[in-house]
Amino acid sequence: MARPAAAGLWFPRPPEPLEVTLDGERRPAVLTTVDPWRWTGRVPASGELHAGVQAVPTVWRTIRSLRAWVTVRSGDEREVLDVVATRGGEPPRWLDFTAGLSRWAGQKVTLEFAVRLDGLPAAYRHANVVAWGPVRVSAPVSHARRHRPNILFILVDTLRRDHLTPYGYRRDTSPNIDRLLAWRGAVVEEAYSQAPWTLPSVASFLASRYPGEILGDDPNAYGLPGALPSLPATLKACGYETGGFIANQVLHKGNGFRRGFETFYSPPPGTSDLDQPDAAALTARVLPWLEGHRNAPFFLYVHYLDPHDPYDNPEIVGGRSSFFPDYHGRISGRDVQGIYTGKIPLDDPLQDREQLVALYDSEIHYADRAIGRLLAAIPREILADTLVVLTADHGEEFLDHGGWKHGFTLYDEQIHVPLLWRWDGRIPAGSRLPGVVRLLDVAPTLLRAAGGAVPPSWEGIDLMPALTRRAPLPRLAAFAQHMTTGPLRAAAVLGHQKLILFNARTPYTPADPLQAYLWTKDLARLHRVELYDLSQDAGERTDLATAMPGEVDRLQPLVHRQLDRQLPGLRVIASGLPAGSRLRGSLVLDRPPVRWRSYFLAMDDRVEMRGNRVSFELSGETLAKGFLLDGVTGVEAVEARLDGRPLPVSGVRVGPGVPWRRTGPALRLWLPGDRRPGADRSNPETEKRLRALGYTQ
């Protein structure tokens, strides 16, 4: 029996709205039978049809082939617009096509959508087994009528800022990024990621929050908490069509990264690191979505995995990069993980390192080609109304500070990232923005450009006044945290000064041989306090912490204030202790603590617990330090003596912490206020995918 539907639609049987996932790409769709269905309506000027179709996976395993086509009827005129086809036995992927309707502009037409499934069992003949999604007739919106931009957010995983052409790199690794973004928009000079690896970094900038406030303390459980508004969800609420295409398998729907995306692709479970889509393959997935949504305000997030290891792509021939063709060693781009874990030695460290850098640079060049193709696919009039941003989640190390890859240190090669903006007619072409910017500032900037209200929970600022030169960039401090296994590492950058703190006294037992190997390397190369002047020492070779204690004292509140917002426990923190002095004291608590934890204690500092009494002895130095006590809510008595003389002690208070003021020697005790929302905790799929990438064993 024929069934009429609203808005000119007609189906022979009731359709079924549903979200359908094919080959990792999830879309909103309508399920129909194999019988044709129709739409009747008037074609707008410059109108075009975009459609996607595929048989549902349960049926695809039984059919021999699929053929779909659209017929347009206008009066007695009939024309087949397009035909798509594929054979059975192949992985079922969405089949997309776009057809122009300009010749019928202003006319009332009927579009008939038909499909043939060869080999379809009789039991499925009248079942809803064909997924159509999306299907839309649309027309470009004129520049004069647009009130908000399209938004294209391009992220290149593991991309070092100092290896890009717009930042003065010695090799021309990124001519398209340079020509299409840097020359046409703004280059941000000093942008910082909030974590040195993908999952916490992306969670941070999508939710505009520091990762330590929103994630748990177990990297395998990390995700994007559902309680927090995210960039794609807020833009969707503003009426944007949202699409997310992510090549990195650790960002999947199970840990919240699909939230807010109407169309979402992430590699399916079980995908190996070698099978994750490269830049060309991901772009091929993106272009059909872009064709189908370019006439409506869209938010498109494209997350390229190149140049994450292994360093390999079609530009690398015979294991050699065109940037270093004369290499004669045995190291290839697939050896990076083995070198990182200490299982593959380097025969010629200088030449082998240069080989890996060249292969990495070829990965950047390959990703740059795909980005050029992506931007070239956007019609000029659409691109004129599109706000484009390109950045990276983190960088990559090549023995810059004694290690490889990323995730464990906070030196600039891992957290100093590129950030480029283009918005024709708004952001001056060829401009450069000096000053420190955080990646958590990206989401508020995009949302405000879209006309949305920034959620109160977001911590970033709107950069657009500075990018458009309507106002100077505020003086910002960037905070970063390592957010993976092992004791806490935290850093702050203000101006050109950078402070890195390492909580090495925290008891730590590596969980597997890989973590044990990495921990041994970290103990050998990291210091408890490091200070660098980036204006004079971009490579962070000269540690000024001992020579410039005043700068350590000036910058350390930037770290302490942020950590105070995320760490649990009663704080017992000493500050302003003169060098060479000794602070001895004790606390009587309302109950025995569950445990004590170091807060940047030196190796000769001492803390002892006996029942509900805690004794301590701390050496004098510039750095504020102490310990945290879990499981207590009150202090009954405190005694503290600095070199035998009583030391002022601030009373216990409850709240967001105490001001980190330099007020002379003092011992401060306080309890934190309410903790920020944490991550969704149960996520074995994340642990599995991290293991597949070699982060755990």
Side-chain angles (χ1 to χ4, degrees):
M1 177 179 174
R3 305 270 181 166
L9 292 171
W10 179 91
F11 296 90
R13 294 178 181 274
E16 181 182 358
L18 195 68
E19 290 190 335
V20 178
T21 301
L22 294 171
D23 195 29
E25 183 176 337
R26 191 174 184 88
R27 296 183 180 181
V30 173
L31 298 189
T32 71
T33 67
V34 293
D35 298 313
W37 60 277
R38 299 192 293 270
W39 171 82
T40 300
R42 196 166 299 278
V43 176
S46 303
E48 59 186 22
L49 165 70
H50 177 85
V53 63
Q54 189 52 271
V56 297
T58 54
V59 169
W60 189 250
R61 291 191 290 266
T62 67
I63 64 174
R64 294 189 301 272
S65 65
L66 177 149
R67 183 172 182 269
W69 64 96
V70 178
T71 304
V72 59
R73 286 187 172 90
S74 178
D76 295 331
E77 184 181 2
R78 178 179 180 274
E79 181 177 331
V80 176
L81 286 180
D82 214 333
V83 178
V84 291
T86 188
R87 294 180 179 179
E90 301 173 353
R93 299 180 62 172
W94 290 102
L95 302 176
D96 293 278
F97 59 91
T98 299
L101 300 175
S102 295
R103 61 171 295 190
W104 295 280
Q107 299 180 38
K108 188 175 183 180
V109 302
T110 295
L111 301 179
E112 183 175 85
F113 298 82
V115 65
R116 187 176 73 197
L117 304 180
D118 292 333
L120 180 69
Y124 292 108
R125 180 64 183 81
H126 300 296
N128 287 332
V129 294
V130 180
W132 294 89
V135 177
R136 63 178 69 219
V137 174
S138 62
V141 178
S142 69
H143 180 82
R145 292 174 54 203
R146 281 190 179 270
H147 302 292
R148 50 187 175 170
N150 304 309
I151 296 173
L152 173 57
F153 190 150
I154 303 171
L155 186 132
V156 183
D157 206 301
T158 321
L159 179 60
R160 282 181 64 144
R161 167 194 178 277
D162 59 354
H163 280 237
L164 278 187
T165 304
Y167 290 96
Y169 189 45
R170 60 190 172 95
R171 291 170 172 158
D172 191 12
T173 56
S174 47
N176 288 304
I177 293 173
D178 194 37
R179 176 175 58 89
L180 298 173
L181 295 179
W183 291 7
R184 304 288 185 89
V187 176
V188 177
E189 299 282 10
E190 315 296 340
Y192 281 89
S193 167
Q194 275 53 79
W197 62 290
T198 299
L199 208 156
S201 174
V202 176
S204 175
F205 67 67
L206 287 182
S208 190
R209 296 280 291 274
Y210 283 106
E213 299 174 18
I214 62 177
L215 302 176
D217 56 5
D218 178 4
N220 296 326
Y222 283 174
L224 191 59
L228 294 177
S230 67
L231 177 62
T234 54
L235 287 171
K236 181 180 178 183
C238 289
Y240 275 71
E241 303 279 354
T242 57
F245 293 81
I246 299 175
N248 192 323
Q249 64 174 313
V250 303
L251 307 177
H252 54 92
K253 66 177 182 179
N255 55 13
F257 288 94
R258 179 186 175 269
R259 194 173 299 119
F261 288 116
E262 294 171 308
T263 300
F264 181 80
Y265 168 79
S266 178
T271 303
S272 71
D273 58 348
L274 296 176
D275 292 330
Q276 296 175 106
D278 68 10
L282 188 69
T283 301
R285 288 183 175 274
V286 170
L287 293 183
W289 186 95
L290 188 56
E291 274 196 343
H293 297 82
R294 64 193 182 192
N295 292 332
F298 66 78
F299 169 59
L300 174 59
Y301 176 75
V302 184
H303 186 128
Y304 291 104
L305 187 57
D306 326 64
H308 194 290
D309 75 289
Y311 310 144
D312 193 15
N313 65 65
E315 290 188 4
I316 297 172
V317 180
R320 299 294 182 269
S321 164
S322 61
F323 291 121
F324 190 37
D326 298 329
Y327 174 70
H328 300 294
R330 63 183 178 87
I331 296 299
S332 76
R334 298 195 175 191
D335 293 329
V336 180
Q337 181 67 16
I339 296 168
Y340 169 72
T341 59
K343 296 178 180 179
I344 297 179
L346 300 182
D347 301 326
D348 184 340
L350 291 178
Q351 289 291 298
D352 292 343
R353 178 188 180 277
E354 184 60 28
Q355 157 77 345
L356 290 170
V357 169
L359 294 172
Y360 172 82
D361 289 344
S362 287
E363 286 276 84
I364 298 174
H365 191 266
Y366 186 68
D368 179 77
R369 284 174 57 191
I371 292 168
R373 181 187 175 200
L374 174 64
L375 292 172
I378 304 175
R380 181 177 301 179
E381 65 275 11
I382 303 296
L383 188 57
D385 290 309
T386 301
L387 171 55
V388 185
V389 58
L390 181 143
T391 189
D393 48 354
H394 56 80
E396 187 83 316
E397 183 179 0
F398 294 94
L399 280 180
D400 302 72
H401 290 90
W404 299 92
K405 291 184 61 170
H406 53 268
F408 287 89
T409 75
L410 298 171
Y411 299 113
D412 265 21
E413 63 266 12
Q414 294 202 33
I415 64 170
H416 195 185
V417 295
L419 181 59
L420 299 97
W421 301 79
R422 175 179 174 181
W423 192 6
D424 295 354
R426 302 291 186 92
I427 296 175
S431 59
R432 303 186 81 90
L433 180 65
V436 172
V437 166
R438 299 85 48 92
L439 285 193
L440 57 80
D441 298 318
V442 172
T445 305
L446 295 176
L447 185 56
R448 290 294 298 132
V454 174
S457 64
W458 286 11
E459 295 177 312
I461 69 164
D462 179 7
L463 300 173
M464 199 55 67
L467 290 168
T468 56
R469 297 181 176 175
R470 290 183 286 114
L473 179 71
R475 184 173 171 82
L476 302 172
F479 173 86
Q481 195 172 337
H482 87 303
M483 297 301 296
T484 188
T485 57
L488 170 67
R489 297 126 220 228
V493 180
L494 182 64
H496 294 290
Q497 303 298 310
K498 182 176 182 182
L499 177 68
I500 307 175
L501 302 183
F502 177 35
N503 196 19
R505 274 288 302 274
T506 300
Y508 173 58
T509 302
D512 53 50
L514 171 59
Q515 302 304 325
Y517 171 76
L518 296 174
W519 175 234
T520 300
K521 292 180 67 70
D522 286 347
L523 283 176
R525 63 180 176 152
L526 303 180
H527 302 287
R528 190 165 141 265
V529 186
E530 298 178 55
L531 177 70
Y532 298 100
D533 182 352
L534 301 176
S535 65
Q536 305 296 320
D537 180 22
E540 296 164 295
R541 303 297 182 191
T542 304
D543 181 2
L544 303 173
T546 301
M548 301 179 67
E551 279 299 292
V552 173
D553 193 29
R554 184 177 73 90
L555 294 176
Q556 65 172 325
L558 302 175
V559 175
H560 298 318
R561 286 173 185 150
Q562 183 56 42
L563 293 178
D564 190 46
R565 303 171 68 177
Q566 62 190 61
L567 298 177
L570 174 71
R571 286 92 162 99
V572 182
I573 307 295
S575 60
L577 304 183
S581 64
R582 301 293 294 183
L583 172 65
R584 297 174 175 85
S586 63
L587 296 84
V588 178
L589 307 166
D590 61 340
R591 65 190 69 178
V594 174
R595 61 171 179 166
W596 71 271
R597 291 175 291 130
S598 167
Y599 187 80
F600 302 114
L601 290 174
M603 297 307 295
D604 60 345
D605 293 330
R606 180 181 60 84
V607 179
E608 294 181 357
M609 288 195 326
R610 292 184 180 179
N612 65 339
R613 178 179 290 273
V614 178
S615 302
F616 56 90
E617 182 176 345
L618 309 180
S619 59
E621 59 180 318
T622 300
L623 186 67
K625 61 182 180 178
F627 51 94
L628 310 178
L629 296 168
D630 292 341
V632 299
T633 58
V635 178
E636 297 180 356
V638 182
E639 181 183 11
R641 290 183 172 273
L642 182 64
D643 291 337
R645 296 187 297 275
L647 182 71
V649 178
S650 69
V652 175
R653 54 168 287 178
V654 177
V658 298
W660 288 93
R661 294 192 301 266
R662 298 183 293 279
T663 57
L667 180 69
R668 298 185 175 97
L669 288 75
W670 74 95
L671 287 165
D674 294 336
R675 298 290 305 283
R676 299 291 179 106
D680 301 330
R681 303 294 299 166
S682 178
N683 203 337
E685 182 61 36
T686 299
E687 181 176 2
K688 178 181 177 182
R689 296 186 185 212
L690 288 172
R691 187 179 294 111
L693 289 174
Y695 287 104
T696 60
Q697 292 183 337

